[in-house]
Amino acid sequence: MEAKQMTDVRVTKLLEKMTLDEKIDQLMQLAAFFYDGASSDGEITGPMEDLGISKQTIHNSGSVLGGSGAKEVISIQKEHLKTNRLGIPLLIMADIIHGFKTIFPVPLAIGSSWDVRLAEKSAEIAALEASVAGVHVTFAPMVDLVRDPRWGRVMETTGEDPFLNGEFAKAFVRGFQGENVTNDTNRVAACVKHFAAYGAPEGGRDYNTVNMSERDLRENYLPAYKAALDAGAQMVMTAFNTVDGIPASGNEKLMRELLRDEWGFDGVVISDWGAIKEMIPHGIAADESEAAKKGLKAGVDIEMMTSTYVKNLQTLVEQGGISEELINESVRRILQLKEKLGLFENPYRGANEQLEEELVFSEEHRQIACELATKSSVLLKNKHVLPLDREQKVALIGPFAHNGDVLGPWSWAGSRENAVKVDEGIKTKIDPVNLIVAQGCDIDTGTEEQVAKAVQAASTADVIVLALGERSEMSGEAGCRADIRLPQVQLDLIKEMKKLTKPIAIVLFNGRPLDLHGVLDQADAVLEAWYPGSEAGTAIADLLYGDVNPSGKLPMSFPYSVGQVPVYYNHYNTGRPDINKSPAERYVSKYLDIPNEPLLPFGFGLSYTTFQYSDTKISSDTLTSDSEITISTHITNTGNVAGEEVVQLYVRDMVGEVVRPIKELKGYEKVHLNPGEKKEVTFILTEEQLRYFHADLSFTSDPGKFTVFVGPNSVDGAELTFELIN
Ligand code: BGC
């Protein structure tokens, strides 16, 4: 018998044996501490009573959120199998977002690397570490496109571009799941989230309303989820927000018609934490019963952390509000996933205390984390300060000079203590007598005494390195900010340092594009390090001393001011574009007080070397639906050190049926060049890449003129044209 048929037979047989109660309980997911065998002891009666559920419901339940390590997970599963009548194992799910114990840079930083190979590797390592610790499914990748840096969860995304996000979505899924997650117990199933458009809350405020046209949704926001599913992601998590007025978790059009019917997804859908019950405050369900009905009808199989399903579905079936078949469908999908992951044969799967001890946070894993951290940092400015000279006396000042808060949000299993701090990294590069460290201030408070100490330290140095940024809780879930500048106390510290008239290099640790006024203009060099992860200090020191040349490019625009937000490179031209930039011209689309352009554009990033683009060519000035066009450029390293450059290809459809963005990223290549070396980079364009969603939602291209841009970022570069002939 074929493997698939055998799976179906076992699942069908189990379904036949299950009572309605047992089926419904499979649809519930609770945190690990609810379960017998969990290491957190103490009475859980309170939370159980809050949820209105019994111990029996927990014994029947289908999956667990969390579990800290192989020992706990094995013990939970063991106890569960003793009490579950049919011996159906639990699925163990957890948020392994950018590493398990070895913490990689946050996803926004990984996006800055434009290096999908390393991104995949980071997910593979995360999967290995998590799987030996007993995890079966990770709630990742998070692929929500975002254009608003006020939203705290920007650090969890790879930025503002649908194409780049799609490339990373695929890489993460490949890394988590490998070739075949079924056979590979060192991988975990991926759950792409948050479906859909969670990254576009109004005002950048978490959980807030999302409002956009279906065309915008399909063109910009959906492609990355689709890419993750095409790469084989096994699960989907719903979003907290509304999509066209209906919360995603109860949105039949989105979850059933689009995801299941149109895209053909037949895997498990899980709600986000409490999102089914949240249909009540959203105002589309009068009570828990109605919320449960809407969630299940929309095709949400598992309810995370609330109990509307387990408390209401039985009655809903009895009263004809929903059919038992709908429940069977969801249970079947959950059991199929358990079967796929081999849990019926081996309910502990990869969990292995000894391997966990050996593999997790290994030297090898940390080295990859370090490599990715160096590739993820973006050099934003450099006026002959970096790289530092090993003989220089350095004053390392600031709240991140010696700080373990460099892992970033969603690193619950990582250890801040074990993270390499910036001063520790620098100490490995220079004679420690040449390093003076002073905090200068805390993240958002400070004293005169702290400043005085910093001034004293800095006055004896040749160069000042300021390590500044946001506390990790200032971004991440519910970490939204309306003022996206550095806290005032840090801006004041920069001013104090500036008075010393010494060269200043600033290294930034933060979870979002910031308004960098008072930073970029004051410093001689700025390195955007984001949250680099466990190897932060080593990576930063490698970059500061030029052992690695920065090569990151921004995956999100840095606004000139928060008043511009949302500001993104692939915007429309408007009917009155501000072409002349003349203060005398009033009735054009512009601000009176600030430029339209962001402070730093998408795709921007400097290097310690310089690159020259030349001889950019297009193979033909016409393209047809059955031909292709080659665009080529030559790039030369014109500086003195080896470096990497991300060559970017953008296209503009000059006249469409629907207005087209002024530029759209269609390809990129990261090339390594030794000093003086020249390489040719080529891109192929076909008609398929020029298609977009028209007014009737058909996905086609428009004949006519196109402009192609090839260059180092979304603003600069050579322009060529061609015509599409259909
Ligand atoms: C987040 C999800 C996460 C879930 C489980 C929610 O609050 O929005 O991204 O996967 O919690 O931890």
Side-chain angles (χ1 to χ4, degrees):
M1 216 188 299
E2 293 279 312
K4 166 93 176 77
Q5 274 173 318
M6 274 170 56
T7 306
D8 287 347
V9 169
R10 174 165 10 209
V11 168
T12 306
K13 278 195 175 151
L14 260 180
L15 262 170
E16 281 165 9
K17 287 188 204 150
M18 291 169 85
T19 63
L20 181 57
D21 246 353
E22 284 169 332
K23 289 179 192 169
I24 293 170
D25 292 347
Q26 278 294 314
L27 312 185
M28 182 185 63
Q29 174 164 117
L30 293 177
F33 67 84
F34 278 91
Y35 290 80
D36 295 343
S39 43
S40 54
D41 35 49
E43 271 299 302
I44 48 136
T45 340
M48 260 169 61
E49 276 163 4
D50 291 347
L51 287 172
I53 55 170
S54 67
K55 198 80 191 165
Q56 189 54 47
T57 301
I58 292 176
H59 291 160
N60 290 345
S61 77
S63 58
V64 179
L65 167 59
S68 51
K71 188 166 179 222
E72 180 174 37
V73 168
I74 291 171
S75 144
I76 290 176
Q77 192 74 286
K78 230 180 221 159
E79 291 305 313
H80 176 77
L81 292 171
K82 283 188 203 155
T83 53
N84 186 280
R85 185 178 71 94
L86 295 165
I88 304 174
L90 288 162
L91 274 163
I92 311 291
M93 309 194 188
D95 292 277
I96 314 299
I97 310 293
H98 53 111
F100 181 63
K101 293 258 175 174
T102 306
I103 302 296
F104 294 92
V106 292
L108 191 60
I110 298 181
S112 309
S113 73
W114 296 56
D115 188 331
V116 290
R117 187 194 56 85
L118 263 185
E120 180 177 336
K121 187 77 196 161
S122 74
E124 182 188 331
I125 291 171
L128 174 61
E129 292 194 357
S131 65
V132 295
V135 175
H136 307 146
V137 176
T138 175
F139 291 140
M142 189 277 217
V143 303
D144 304 321
L145 184 133
V146 60
R147 292 170 165 174
D148 192 332
R150 290 172 297 182
W151 190 49
R153 297 191 83 167
V154 299
M155 47 64 55
E156 255 178 275
T157 83
T158 48
E160 73 186 34
D161 184 67
F163 174 70
L164 193 61
N165 283 358
E167 294 300 293
F168 277 108
K170 286 186 271 182
F172 286 133
V173 172
R174 283 195 306 264
F176 287 132
Q177 297 193 163
E179 285 289 306
N180 186 350
V181 71
T182 307
N183 301 330
D184 195 344
T185 55
N186 285 334
R187 305 281 181 150
V188 294
C191 173
V192 61
K193 68 189 187 184
H194 306 82
F195 197 70
Y198 180 42
E202 284 179 358
R205 205 178 73 224
D206 213 357
Y207 319 124
N208 200 9
T209 308
V210 169
N211 212 348
M212 66 177 68
S213 70
E214 185 171 345
R215 260 191 19 77
D216 192 10
L217 181 71
R218 284 181 181 265
E219 185 166 319
N220 294 304
Y221 291 84
L222 295 185
Y225 308 107
K226 182 69 168 55
L229 293 177
D230 289 346
Q234 297 289 325
M235 281 184 58
V236 171
M237 185 186 290
T238 68
F240 287 121
N241 51 276
T242 52
V243 175
D244 198 11
I246 301 180
S249 309
N251 194 320
E252 276 190 61
K253 186 171 174 203
L254 181 73
M255 307 306 297
R256 211 170 261 285
E257 285 174 30
L258 193 138
L259 179 67
R260 298 234 187 254
D261 300 345
E262 189 183 323
W263 288 3
F265 177 69
D266 63 358
V268 174
V269 173
I270 187 167
S271 79
D272 201 347
W273 180 297
I276 300 285
K277 195 171 165 185
E278 285 175 20
M279 281 188 246
I280 301 171
H282 264 300
I284 67 153
D287 51 29
E288 291 196 15
S289 166
E290 197 177 358
K293 183 174 167 184
K294 291 202 165 179
L296 198 77
K297 283 185 80 181
V300 181
D301 304 313
I302 301 180
E303 176 179 15
M304 188 199 295
M305 288 309 285
T306 45
S307 53
T308 73
Y309 278 14
V310 293
K311 285 194 306 197
N312 296 286
L313 291 184
Q314 172 113 19
T315 316
L316 279 164
V317 171
E318 283 160 10
Q319 293 174 350
I322 53 161
S323 68
E324 185 163 350
E325 192 36 44
L326 213 52
I327 292 173
N328 288 345
E329 252 182 45
S330 288
V331 178
R332 178 180 291 277
R333 285 193 282 260
I334 294 165
L335 296 180
Q336 270 166 348
L337 181 58
K338 294 183 182 192
E339 178 75 59
K340 248 190 203 171
L341 295 177
L343 295 181
F344 290 106
E345 271 74 37
N346 177 9
Y348 308 104
R349 208 166 189 262
N352 183 320
E353 269 189 84
Q354 197 192 326
L355 279 182
E356 187 182 8
E357 188 66 37
E358 284 166 28
L359 289 174
V360 160
F361 205 57
S362 68
E363 192 52 42
E364 190 194 333
H365 294 178
R366 293 173 58 181
Q367 261 173 28
I368 307 280
C370 185
E371 188 184 348
L372 188 48
T374 57
K375 301 226 176 201
S376 300
S377 297
V378 188
L379 185 64
L380 303 180
K381 178 176 181 180
N382 190 18
K383 294 275 171 261
H384 318 293
V385 177
L386 298 178
L388 300 174
D389 187 323
R390 280 175 161 79
E391 300 308 314
Q392 278 172 313
K393 194 160 184 195
V394 178
L396 174 65
I397 313 278
F400 280 92
H402 179 83
N403 193 340
D405 188 10
V406 285
L407 305 181
W410 293 110
S411 49
W412 55 278
S415 150
R416 287 186 184 186
E417 215 169 287
N418 290 336
V420 185
K421 284 94 190 154
V422 179
D423 59 340
E424 294 165 356
I426 292 183
K427 273 183 205 152
T428 66
K429 300 286 177 192
I430 58 174
D431 185 338
V433 297
N434 279 335
L435 177 67
I436 329 155
V437 182
Q439 199 181 347
C441 62
D442 299 319
I443 301 286
D444 39 23
T445 55
T447 63
E448 279 176 18
E449 200 190 329
Q450 280 177 312
V451 176
K453 273 192 188 154
V455 169
Q456 194 188 19
S459 54
T460 64
D462 300 317
V463 59
I464 302 169
V465 175
L466 284 173
L468 307 174
E470 297 176 298
R471 187 181 308 112
S472 59
E473 291 78 18
M474 289 163 85
S475 61
E477 185 172 350
C480 305
R481 296 179 67 205
D483 180 351
I484 53 170
R485 288 173 301 173
L486 279 184
Q488 190 58 45
V489 68
Q490 296 188 49
L491 295 173
D492 292 344
L493 182 66
I494 299 175
K495 279 192 209 143
E496 287 303 322
M497 293 295 120
K498 187 83 183 156
K499 287 183 193 159
L500 301 173
T501 64
K502 300 194 182 231
I504 298 179
I506 296 183
V507 185
L508 291 170
F509 300 86
N510 50 298
R512 58 163 56 76
L514 294 166
D515 168 351
L516 288 181
H517 282 97
V519 179
L520 209 60
D521 44 305
Q522 299 294 307
D524 301 285
V526 178
L527 183 69
E528 174 54 81
W530 309 109
Y531 293 113
S534 305
E535 292 302 305
T538 314
I540 299 307
D542 279 349
L543 291 163
L544 288 178
Y545 284 92
D547 293 335
V548 180
N549 190 348
S551 63
K553 300 264 189 174
L554 298 177
M556 239 184 120
S557 311
F558 271 48
Y560 186 93
S561 121
V562 76
Q564 283 180 327
V565 167
V567 60
Y568 47 95
Y569 85 94
N570 47 356
H571 59 83
Y572 291 165
N573 200 34
T574 80
R576 295 189 183 190
D578 185 19
I579 298 165
N580 301 320
K581 310 271 174 223
S582 158
E585 198 175 10
R586 183 176 176 90
Y587 294 100
V588 291
S589 180
K590 68 172 182 185
Y591 299 103
L592 295 177
D593 49 352
I594 56 165
N596 285 354
E597 290 71 32
L599 194 61
L600 298 165
F602 175 84
F604 173 82
L606 301 170
S607 163
Y608 294 153
T609 187
T610 44
F611 300 104
Q612 195 181 62
Y613 287 71
S614 61
D615 205 15
T616 305
K617 287 193 303 240
I618 191 157
S619 61
S620 166
D621 52 14
T622 54
L623 174 67
T624 58
S625 53
D626 50 11
S627 67
E628 58 183 37
I629 268 185
T630 305
I631 293 129
S632 60
T633 192
H634 285 84
I635 170 152
T636 313
N637 181 345
T638 46
N640 301 324
V641 288
E644 287 186 314
E645 167 71 335
V646 182
V647 182
Q648 300 162 41
L649 171 80
Y650 298 87
V651 167
R652 178 172 180 189
D653 183 345
M654 301 309 290
V655 182
E657 183 225 81
V658 172
V659 174
R660 307 305 305 138
I662 62 148
K663 274 180 191 177
E664 290 175 88
L665 184 72
K666 292 290 176 186
Y668 63 89
E669 197 176 319
K670 195 163 187 173
V671 278
H672 181 277
L673 293 163
N674 289 319
E677 196 182 359
K678 182 176 185 172
K679 275 188 186 159
E680 186 177 15
V681 173
T682 57
F683 299 101
I684 308 276
L685 262 188
T686 63
E687 177 271 335
E688 215 176 312
Q689 287 161 276
L690 307 175
R691 294 181 194 168
Y692 69 91
F693 288 97
H694 283 60
D696 63 357
L697 298 183
S698 61
F699 191 64
T700 51
S701 59
D702 290 326
K705 287 210 166 73
F706 286 78
T707 306
V708 172
F709 309 83
V710 181
N713 57 58
S714 61
V715 172
D716 306 309
E719 282 185 39
L720 305 158
T721 56
F722 71 90
E723 191 163 343
L724 175 67
I725 303 170
N726 267 0

